[in-house]
Structure formats: C-alpha cells, structure tokens
C-alpha cells in the first residue's frame, strides 16, 4: 500500500482531493504531523496540533454508487473505534453518523468527501482525525473535545494505532465491497451507538426538532420519530444530531 507521510499540510483531505483529480493508487493513505487548515464537517475547522494526533486520509476508488458513500463513513467509524480499542483501553461510543466520543466528548471525527459524476465515484476521501495526545490547552475554549491521553491518562502510541486502524478499516471495507451494504456490521454499530434509543435534537439548515432516535437503517440512515409520529429517515449530509 502507498503511504504518503507529510510533516505539514493544509489538510490531508485537501491533499487527497488534489491527488484524486489525477491518477492515484486505490487505498493510498496520506498522513501528516500537522494540518494548517484541518477541516471538519459542516464547514467547521479541525484543530490539528503538531505531532499530537493522527491526521490522515484514505483515498479510495470504490465501484459503488455515490449514494452509497455515506455507508463508508459508518464503516470507518466502527473500524476506527475497533482499531483504537485494540491498542488503548478507552471507552468509546459512536455518535451518528461518525463521531467517536468518550464521556460525551469528541475523540475522533471523520470527514468523507467525494469526487463523483452522476452515477459513479471518481475518488472517495475518508479523512480521519484522532485526538491522540492533545492536552486540554490544545483545544482552547472548545470544551466538547477530548483525547486518548486525556481520557486514559496514558500517552497513546500513534504508530500502533495507525496500524490497527488501517487493518480494521481494510477488513470492514472489503466486507462492504463484497456485500454492497453494511448489514454485516449494523448490530455492532448500534451496540456502540450513543444515540440509538435516546432523545436527540436534529438540526438542519431549515431549523431543528426534537425526536427519538429509534434505529439505523441498512443504508446507514438514522431513523427518528417525533411526538410518536411516523418514522423519519435522516441522511448524514447537512444535519447535526445532538444528545
Ligand atoms: C468532523 O468531525 O467534523 C470531522 C473531522 C475530520 C478531521 C480529519 S483530520 C484528517 C482529515 N483532514 C482534514 O482536514 N479533516 C480530516
């Protein structure tokens, strides 16, 4: 596998997108010690202090439909959780669609971006940001974040975590390509879910509402019900779901 290791970069996702526009090897991994303009979901910034975290992007060329891409994000969430747990004994849950949290604070975020035409994907970037050894001061006044070090009290071995995360991602991703959906890991996802069975606030660009998160569908959508009404399907695009 091709691994591109950078000391400093604007964003490993931006780097991957530039590669994606050209010829690239399926499965190329871009890792940086530092990101100057790390990006999060919904246009947010992602704090990426030098040598304190794992800032990496897996660049893929899957033969799937663009609407299946959000499933790869859920796969990444489960795989990354497994990978981290394989190395550190940290309690981690998944906040739909793809935040890994410890005691409600964010430990890892995933940003999936794609270059696609109407019915095919040219490239898919799975950007993974793991707060490994960040200290409280690295987060400034952001009080919703934590790191493996803060959570466990121990220095995290980034190399080991990267190896485990990539191993478990490859494993889940190849199962997904073989099966065409994520039903093989839904039970595992739901068991780790911090939302399913709970009341959530769904925030969209048109406003917000309260509902109960009841389930995850086999294509990775969140199924919610407000005021005992009918089930509504939430897709991960432009929404934020809070506890
Ligand atoms: C989020 O939770 O909002 C997603 C955060 C994703 C951060 C990672 S770090 C590596 C990759 N490069 C980026 O600029 N973002 C992702």
């Amino acid at each position: 596998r091709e691994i591109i290791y950078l000391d400093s970069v604007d964003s490993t996702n931006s780097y991957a997108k530039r590669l994606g526009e050209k010829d690239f090897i399926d499965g190329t991994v871009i890792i940086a010690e530092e990101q100057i303009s790390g990006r999060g979901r919904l246009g947010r910034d992602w704090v990426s202090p030098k040598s304190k975290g794992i800032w990496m992007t897996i660049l893929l060329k899957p033969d799937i439909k663009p609407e299946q891409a959000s499933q790869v994000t859920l796969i990444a969430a489960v795989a990354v959780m497994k990978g981290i747990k394989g190395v550190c004994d940290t309690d981690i849950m998944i906040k739909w669609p793809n935040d890994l949290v410890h005691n409600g604070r964010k430990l890892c975020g995933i940003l999936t971006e794609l270059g696609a035409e109407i019915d095919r994907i040219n490239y898919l970037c799975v950007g993974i940001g793991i707060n490994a050894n960040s200290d409280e001061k690295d987060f400034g006044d952001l009080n919703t974040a934590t790191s493996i070090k803060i959570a466990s009290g121990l220095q995290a071995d980034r190399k080991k975590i990267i190896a485990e995360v990539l191993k478990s991602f490859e494993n889940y991703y190849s199962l997904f390509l073989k099966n065409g959906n994520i039903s093989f890991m839904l039970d595992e996802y739901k068991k780790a879910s911090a939302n399913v069975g709970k009341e959530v606030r769904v925030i969209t660009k048109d406003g917000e509402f309260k509902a109960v998160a009841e389930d995850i569908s086999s294509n990775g959508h969140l199924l919610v019900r407000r005021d005992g009404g009918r089930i509504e399907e939430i897709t991960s695009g432009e929404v934020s779901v809070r506890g």
Side-chain angles (χ1 to χ4, degrees):
R1 140 173 14 99
E2 170 112 317
I3 296 195
I4 299 174
Y5 171 75
L6 307 161
D7 189 48
S8 182
V9 70
D10 49 353
S11 142
T12 55
N13 263 37
S14 305
Y15 188 102
K17 277 173 138 180
R18 294 191 288 270
L19 261 188
E21 298 293 340
K22 303 184 260 176
D23 257 355
F24 65 93
I25 300 171
D26 190 11
T28 296
V29 180
I30 299 108
I31 304 180
E33 285 294 339
E34 164 189 59
Q35 298 186 116
I36 303 301
S37 32
R39 297 187 284 108
R41 285 182 68 229
L42 310 172
R44 298 188 185 116
D45 291 335
W46 183 260
V47 181
S48 321
K50 187 149 198 160
S51 306
K52 292 223 169 171
I54 296 169
W55 325 126
M56 72 176 177
T57 300
I58 308 171
L59 178 58
L60 303 162
K61 197 176 175 54
D63 189 12
I64 58 172
K65 298 255 176 281
E67 62 269 21
Q68 288 176 284
S70 63
Q71 298 183 43
V72 180
T73 313
L74 271 74
I75 291 173
V78 173
V80 172
M81 176 187 77
K82 275 268 231 231
I84 298 175
K85 280 189 165 180
V87 180
C88 345
D89 182 23
T90 316
D91 171 55
I92 302 172
M93 297 197 89
I94 305 174
K95 235 186 85 199
W96 184 88
N98 48 13
D99 286 353
L100 302 190
V101 295
H102 170 86
N103 284 346
R105 289 187 174 219
K106 191 147 149 180
L107 200 78
C108 166
I110 298 169
L111 176 66
T112 305
E113 298 182 289
L114 72 166
E117 281 158 55
I118 292 169
D119 58 351
R120 72 182 180 129
I121 290 182
N122 295 328
Y123 62 87
L124 179 71
C125 307
V126 183
I128 300 169
I130 303 172
N131 298 327
N133 293 317
S134 312
D135 297 295
E136 292 283 3
K137 65 170 170 23
D138 293 310
F139 297 122
D141 47 20
L142 185 70
N143 58 7
T144 49
T146 190
S147 70
I148 296 175
K149 183 178 162 194
I150 297 168
S152 68
L154 298 170
Q155 187 80 9
D157 184 333
R158 290 185 301 154
K159 257 198 199 155
K160 252 197 200 161
I161 295 173
I162 292 169
E164 280 302 310
V165 166
L166 291 178
K167 195 168 80 184
S168 64
F169 179 79
E170 259 166 36
N171 180 20
Y172 281 81
Y173 179 67
S174 60
L175 278 172
F176 163 69
L177 291 182
K178 208 159 67 191
N179 293 309
N181 63 56
I182 56 170
S183 46
F184 68 91
M185 54 147 249
L186 268 187
D187 281 345
E188 198 174 4
Y189 186 96
K190 282 191 256 184
K191 222 181 271 165
S193 169
N195 310 108
V196 173
K198 302 254 165 64
E199 178 154 291
V200 292
R201 268 195 305 140
V202 180
I203 306 165
T204 71
K205 57 178 181 347
D206 307 319
E208 64 173 87
F209 62 88
K210 271 196 185 143
V212 175
E214 298 212 338
D215 208 349
I216 309 278
S217 67
S218 58
N219 52 2
H221 298 165
L222 186 68
L223 304 178
V224 305
R225 195 193 293 276
R226 44 180 145 173
D227 296 332
R230 59 181 178 77
I231 288 275
E232 293 172 62
E233 237 181 280
I234 312 288
T235 45
S236 60
E238 291 293 305
V239 306
S240 151
V241 171
R242 308 249 172 93

